[in-house]
């Protein structure tokens, strides 16, 4: 299995600087906040769908790295759309990141943290701004990103009795379109 099967097709990852979050050296914790913004998606039927976040509940879960090889923890930012029908997850570890969208019954993702903790998704611009009580993570999509459900299929392969050959026809794709923006506003107080 090669990285393009579960990362971006016909796109490359870029090496980038460290994530300059105030949470970067935190080993563990759960932090609450909100998410705002809008994501433009082209779904599996190639129809454009708008996912909106208007003060939706958001959460940052920081999971300790047991051996601290490259980083002290994985940071998982999660939020649901205003309707609550779709959820997103943005994860960082070391210099790597991944973006996950749970749409209907499928889970689609781009990027990979396993074994690629220095690969940043090309087309996602991110930056952090901190105030006394809150940190903002701003994610801007600058080009079309292809997200696949293949990793989720692989994770469930044994349970479903599949093989790599039987999984390939089940693979689906969605596109995360440019000008999509989501802002996580996370309280710096541990909850």
């Amino acid at each position: 299995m090669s990285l393009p099967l579960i990362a971006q097709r016909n796109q490359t990852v870029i090496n980038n600087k460290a994530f300059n979050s105030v949470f970067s050296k935190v080993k563990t914790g759960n932090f609450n906040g909100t998410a705002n913004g809008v994501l433009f998606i082209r779904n599996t039927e190639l129809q454009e769908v708008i996912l909106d976040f208007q003060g939706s509940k958001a959460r940052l879960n920081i999971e300790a790295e047991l051996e601290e090889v490259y980083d002290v923890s994985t940071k998982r930012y999660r939020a649901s759309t205003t309707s609550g029908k779709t959820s997103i997850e943005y994860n960082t570890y070391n210099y790597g990141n991944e973006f996950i969208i749970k749409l209907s019954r499928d889970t689609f993702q781009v990027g990979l943290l396993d074994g690629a903790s220095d690969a940043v998704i090309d087309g996602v611009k991110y930056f952090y701004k901190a105030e006394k009580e809150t940190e903002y993570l701003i994610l801007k999509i600058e080009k079309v990103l292809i997200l696949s459900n293949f990793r989720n299929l692989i994770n469930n392969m044994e349970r479903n009795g599949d093989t790599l050959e039987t999984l390939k026809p089940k693979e689906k794709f969605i596109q995360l379109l440019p000008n999509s923006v989501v802002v996580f506003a996370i309280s710096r107080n541990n909850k």
Side-chain angles (χ1 to χ4, degrees):
M1 178 172 60
S2 65
L3 181 61
L5 290 175
I6 49 182
Q8 300 182 74
R9 293 192 179 268
N10 301 322
Q11 297 171 340
T12 59
V13 292
I14 56 173
N15 290 324
N16 212 337
K17 61 187 182 306
F19 299 102
N20 61 342
S21 167
V22 295
F23 298 106
S24 64
K25 298 299 178 199
V26 175
K27 290 187 178 188
T28 188
N30 297 303
F31 302 86
N32 292 318
T34 59
N36 286 285
V38 62
L39 297 180
F40 305 106
I41 304 289
R42 191 166 291 126
N43 66 18
T44 56
E45 288 82 34
L46 301 178
Q47 299 168 328
E48 191 168 315
V49 177
I50 299 173
L51 306 177
D52 71 327
F53 303 84
Q54 298 176 17
S56 303
K57 289 183 182 179
R59 192 157 180 83
L60 168 60
N61 297 324
I62 300 177
E63 301 168 0
E65 174 67 23
L66 299 178
E67 297 181 22
E68 292 187 31
V69 177
Y70 299 109
D71 199 343
V72 297
S73 58
T74 300
K75 289 75 173 171
R76 300 188 185 281
Y77 295 84
R78 295 180 171 122
S80 294
T81 55
T82 306
S83 69
K85 294 180 181 178
T86 303
S87 64
I88 63 168
E89 186 173 325
Y90 177 75
N91 302 321
T92 65
Y93 175 80
N94 192 31
Y95 300 135
N97 61 355
E98 65 184 353
F99 203 101
I100 300 168
I101 298 176
K102 293 180 182 174
L103 186 64
S104 298
R105 295 180 183 166
D106 286 310
T107 300
F108 299 90
Q109 81 177 70
V110 62
L112 182 66
L113 296 184
D114 297 337
S117 65
D118 62 346
V120 176
I121 303 166
D122 188 13
V124 176
K125 184 174 182 177
Y126 59 87
F127 56 99
Y128 300 86
K129 294 288 182 186
E131 292 181 328
K132 184 177 180 182
E133 300 292 323
T134 305
E135 178 177 82
Y136 299 90
L137 166 57
I138 299 95
L139 300 171
K140 297 169 96 176
I141 307 305
E142 296 185 318
K143 66 184 201 178
V144 175
L145 299 177
I146 309 295
L147 287 78
S148 167
N149 70 335
F150 200 69
R151 177 131 186 236
N152 192 53
L153 292 173
I154 289 173
N155 291 342
N156 294 311
M157 185 168 63
E158 189 174 307
R159 181 179 58 168
N160 296 335
D162 284 313
T163 65
L164 284 176
E165 293 78 30
T166 61
L167 285 183
K168 197 63 183 149
K170 297 178 182 180
E171 185 175 19
K172 299 178 192 174
F173 302 94
I174 62 171
Q175 298 175 7
L176 182 53
L177 303 175
N179 300 317
S180 296
V181 176
V182 66
V183 177
F184 289 93
I186 303 296
S187 170
R188 293 170 70 173
N189 299 316
N190 197 341
K191 301 284 181 187

